[in-house]
Amino acid sequence: MTGDGDLQWAVANEFSALADLLDGISDAEWDTPSLCEGWRIREVVAHVTMAARYPEDQFMARLRECAFDFTRLSNEIARSDAELATAELVANLRSDIMRRWTPPGGGYHGALNHVVIHGLDATVPLGVSGRVPEETMRVVLNDLTAGGGHSNFGIDIEGRGLRATDLEWSYGSGAELRGTGEDLALMICGRTLPAGRVEGEPL
């Protein structure tokens, strides 16, 4: 999976799969704390679907109001739009805009990493695992390791060995950390997982 066509299909598939899963949960489950500190599942979905509700000119106007502080704007939108009806948030996940969305400068690799990691932020606390297709998970893991994505989260993987227990993938050498591909990706992104989900010294 290397070309834009394959990657775009994977992005669309992840948005659709996440929509299908969340479409069946209760209102109380939407309020479950996610793996993103301070955000419930509602805030995560509101964040990951911003492009479905804010055309570029409107988004840039909001960004200027926040002195071009993307983190501030992202938090503001997550908090406010989390109060939208869950049916609307699910519809945003299914929108054609999100199926073809790419972050500025990130291309479809960036879009795939974004929807996979935030999808896990929302679904792992619900007890869902093994949801991401193996080929998609390999792309994300390669982006986060050899591709340098780990540096965006302040995580140092130098001198460490990473080994997936549910698919054929490994990276590096040294003190080994073992877990499912999904859990390794979350660890590389600085998430805190429940005890016992990975084996070895934490990153």
Side-chain angles (χ1 to χ4, degrees):
M1 190 189 299
T2 56
D4 277 354
D6 291 336
L7 291 169
Q8 187 273 322
W9 178 88
V11 168
N13 184 66
E14 285 303 302
F15 275 113
S16 294
L18 186 58
D20 290 345
L21 191 153
L22 296 180
D23 200 15
I25 69 174
S26 67
D27 286 344
E29 286 173 312
W30 276 92
D31 290 330
T32 302
S34 76
L35 297 183
C36 290
E37 186 175 355
W39 283 5
R40 301 164 296 173
I41 291 173
R42 293 175 182 274
E43 278 82 12
V44 171
V45 177
H47 167 72
V48 83
T49 57
M50 287 190 295
R53 297 183 302 279
Y54 297 91
E56 184 177 357
D57 56 347
Q58 186 177 352
F59 182 83
M60 292 305 299
R62 290 284 302 272
L63 190 59
R64 282 192 294 273
E65 293 172 2
C66 290
F68 292 96
D69 184 337
F70 176 78
T71 299
R72 174 184 163 191
L73 176 58
S74 177
N75 285 328
E76 286 185 3
I77 289 176
R79 284 194 299 270
S80 63
D81 291 9
E83 302 310 316
L84 293 170
T86 57
E88 182 173 351
L89 292 174
V90 169
N92 289 161
L93 287 169
R94 292 192 172 119
S95 75
D96 287 339
I97 291 172
M98 298 314 309
R99 295 170 66 86
R100 300 188 176 279
W101 169 82
T102 58
Y108 282 120
H109 277 278
L112 188 60
N113 282 275
H114 188 71
V115 65
V116 166
I117 296 303
H118 281 310
L120 294 172
D121 286 332
T123 57
V124 167
L126 294 173
V128 178
S129 60
R131 184 183 61 80
V132 181
E134 288 188 10
E135 189 173 7
T136 296
M137 202 67 248
R138 286 192 190 92
V139 172
V140 172
L141 287 166
N142 288 334
D143 286 346
L144 291 173
T145 53
H150 59 92
S151 62
N152 296 326
F153 304 95
I155 298 297
D156 184 9
I157 61 174
E158 189 69 27
R160 297 299 306 274
L162 306 173
R163 184 174 301 278
T165 56
D166 62 335
L167 68 153
E168 189 175 338
W169 182 88
S170 63
Y171 173 83
S173 60
E176 194 170 80
L177 183 66
R178 298 174 299 281
T180 67
E182 293 178 353
D183 284 351
L184 290 178
L186 288 168
M187 293 289 287
I188 295 169
C189 293
R191 295 339 192 234
T192 299
L193 295 175
R197 289 184 68 105
V198 295
E199 300 177 17
E201 183 181 345
L203 296 175

